[in-house]
Amino acid sequence: MMAACPAHSAELAPIFNGKDLTGWTVPQPNPFWKVVDGVLIGENDGPMKGHVLRTDKSYRDFILDLEVRWTGDADTGIIFRNPDLQVQIGVSISLKVDRTCSFYTGGADKYPEAGRARAVDRLLKPGDWNKIRLEAEGGTFTVWLNGEQVTRYTNLNFAAPAPIGLQIHPKLKMRVEFRHIRAMPLD
């Protein structure tokens, strides 16, 4: 049985201020990211190059909470650690399968069976705000979707600290929205 989301919410601090991109490494020029009414909006540019917006600060062990919304095609995710490990959000452009809250490793087994989310089709609210919580501690990575644990993945190859990133996938006309992005270092 999957666990309910733990209660650390009061200890999490905003890493997105809802006004601008302070605290994030912004591309110059920036055709990808903007803030409107407290929401971070990511859209692909004309040539569909894609982009990863990363925090200025690096994290190793942490808890991250955010809300995300998208409609239509979206291949996005939360990227963290070095080498990059990703929690997928939306439909994988290569697989044409929804892998929301599953882990993408970039290796030979891109979506390892042990890192695939369960019960997402029951919990996901298409076109509405969905709350995702990611906990990275040591080599264990746990994801909750709308308050219910859907994935726990262990892999010791993703060990070094890195900025937390939000992705716009290349080669896809897409829009994704994030809000209430908060984090707490655990180390």
Side-chain angles (χ1 to χ4, degrees):
M1 179 173 185
M2 296 292 191
C5 197
H8 296 291
S9 292
E11 301 168 36
L12 300 176
I15 60 172
F16 167 60
N17 66 21
K19 299 176 205 159
D20 58 34
L21 296 172
T22 299
W24 298 81
T25 303
V26 182
Q28 295 301 324
N30 177 19
F32 305 102
W33 302 97
K34 63 185 174 187
V35 179
V36 177
D37 297 328
V39 175
L40 174 61
I41 300 170
E43 293 182 279
N44 223 328
D45 63 350
M48 293 189 278
K49 291 188 278 186
H51 186 263
V52 177
L53 182 69
R54 296 184 190 266
T55 58
D56 292 338
K57 180 180 177 179
S58 288
Y59 297 81
R60 183 183 187 291
D61 292 347
F62 63 91
I63 297 172
L64 174 74
D65 256 0
L66 58 75
E67 292 180 19
V68 60
R69 174 173 70 182
W70 70 95
T71 54
D73 291 336
D75 185 341
T76 182
I78 304 162
I79 298 174
F80 62 102
R81 292 279 180 97
N82 186 9
D84 284 351
L85 183 59
Q86 178 181 354
V87 174
Q88 172 81 33
I89 300 171
V91 174
S92 161
I93 195 170
S94 59
L95 298 178
K96 312 266 188 278
V97 173
D98 192 323
R99 289 283 188 232
T100 297
C101 295
S102 295
F103 286 91
Y104 175 81
T105 66
D109 188 9
K110 290 179 175 27
Y111 292 97
E113 182 65 35
R116 292 187 193 162
R118 309 287 185 245
V120 169
D121 38 346
R122 178 174 56 82
L123 297 169
L124 190 66
K125 299 181 284 186
D128 199 355
W129 290 106
N130 289 276
K131 184 173 184 175
I132 294 178
R133 174 173 278 204
L134 165 62
E135 184 174 310
E137 191 164 14
T140 300
F141 312 102
T142 309
V143 179
W144 290 264
L145 175 61
N146 295 321
E148 189 171 316
Q149 182 184 322
V150 292
T151 321
R152 174 163 282 152
Y153 177 57
T154 300
N155 187 321
L156 300 176
N157 296 323
F158 302 93
I164 294 171
L166 304 174
Q167 180 197 39
I168 299 170
H169 201 286
K171 302 177 187 170
L172 179 66
K173 182 77 175 150
M174 61 163 283
R175 175 186 168 112
V176 62
E177 300 173 330
F178 296 95
R179 69 179 184 186
H180 306 301
I181 307 169
R182 302 177 307 148
M184 178 178 75
L186 296 175
D187 47 2

